[in-house]
Amino acid sequence: MVAYIKNNFLLVPIVVLLLFVVSSYAKFSTKVTTSEIRGICTHRNVNASFCYEFMKSYPQIATMDISDLAKFLINYDFQKALDLMKHFQSLTNSTTDRSSKDSYKLCSELFSLGIHSLEIAFKALATNDYDTLNRTVGNMSAYAEECGSELSSVIKPIPQLLKGVSIVENVGHIVLVILECFLVKEKTFC
C-alpha cells in the first residue's frame, strides 16, 4: 500500500506538468477560427465586404494563428505599399499636369513614410510592443487615407491606384482590430 501511494505521489506532479505544458503549447499554436475571422470582419472599424473577400482570397490564412495572421497582413501591406510608392514615383516623373504631379509626389512621400512605419511594425510585433504596433500600422492607414483624398483632385484618376490605396488602408484597419481584440491584454473596443 505504501509503495502504491509513493509511486502515484511521484506521478501526480509529472501529470500536472505535462498538462500545463500541453495546454500552454495548444494555446500558442491554435489556428485562427472562422468565428475569429467573423469577429474581425464585422468589427465597426473594418470594411466587412473587403475583409471577407480578402480573407477568402488567401486560403493559407486558415493555417495561421492570430499572430501569424497579423504578420501576414503587415507583410501584405508592406509589399502593396512598396509597389504603390514605386508607381507614384514613376507617375511623378512622367506626368506633365502640375496638379497631378504634385498629388502623385505627395502620395509617393506618404507611402515612403508608411513603408518605414511598417518596417517598425514588424519589429514591434516580434517583440510584442503593441503600442508601437498600433501607432505604426495606424500611421500607414492614415497615410493611405490621406493619399486617397489627394488622388480625388487628380484630373484623370487611375482606378487601380485608387483601389490599391484603399486596400492598404483596409488591411491596416484589419491589423488594428486584430491587435485590439486578440493581441493586447486590455481590450477596450472589442
Side-chain angles (χ1 to χ4, degrees):
M1 173 84 174
V2 173
Y4 176 77
I5 292 173
K6 188 175 181 181
N7 287 339
N8 284 336
F9 181 75
L10 292 174
L11 196 59
V12 170
I14 293 171
V15 170
V16 170
L17 179 65
L18 282 173
L19 285 173
F20 178 74
V21 170
V22 169
S23 67
S24 66
Y25 175 75
K27 179 182 173 187
F28 294 116
S29 68
T30 58
K31 307 300 179 213
V32 66
T33 65
T34 53
S35 70
E36 289 170 332
I37 296 288
R38 186 176 29 259
I40 293 165
C41 290
T42 58
H43 192 277
R44 66 183 173 277
N45 294 337
V46 171
N47 176 333
S49 60
F50 169 82
C51 182
Y52 281 120
E53 194 61 38
F54 184 88
M55 298 291 188
K56 234 184 341 182
S57 300
Y58 297 93
Q60 67 266 36
I61 287 174
T63 66
M64 299 176 188
D65 66 19
I66 204 76
S67 182
D68 287 339
L69 176 58
K71 190 183 311 177
F72 172 82
L73 294 171
I74 294 168
N75 186 54
Y76 181 92
D77 242 12
F78 179 85
Q79 294 301 323
K80 193 76 165 165
L82 188 60
D83 291 344
L84 284 166
M85 184 191 72
K86 290 176 183 175
H87 201 132
F88 285 126
Q89 287 172 339
S90 173
L91 286 169
T92 300
N93 295 332
S94 64
T95 302
T96 55
D97 173 59
R98 189 79 201 142
S99 174
S100 297
K101 186 187 252 336
D102 290 343
S103 295
Y104 295 143
K105 184 173 190 223
L106 175 63
C107 283
S108 174
E109 291 168 354
L110 288 168
F111 274 88
S112 178
L113 291 170
I115 289 164
H116 177 69
S117 288
L118 292 175
E119 288 171 338
I120 295 168
F122 280 122
K123 294 173 188 163
L125 180 61
T127 60
N128 299 331
D129 180 357
Y130 298 134
D131 289 335
T132 299
L133 181 62
N134 186 24
R135 188 178 62 256
T136 55
V137 172
N139 286 346
M140 181 69 253
S141 290
Y143 297 147
E145 184 179 359
E146 186 176 344
C147 174
S149 296
E150 182 64 29
L151 288 177
S152 65
S153 69
V154 172
I155 293 174
K156 292 182 183 175
I158 302 169
Q160 57 270 41
L161 277 181
L162 291 169
K163 183 178 179 185
V165 169
S166 176
I167 288 170
V168 169
E169 181 181 355
N170 283 315
V171 169
H173 290 177
I174 294 169
V175 173
L176 292 173
V177 167
I178 289 170
L179 172 64
E180 176 62 33
C181 297
F182 298 97
L183 297 177
V184 298
K185 288 183 177 138
E186 293 181 29
K187 293 153 183 36
T188 356
F189 300 110
C190 294

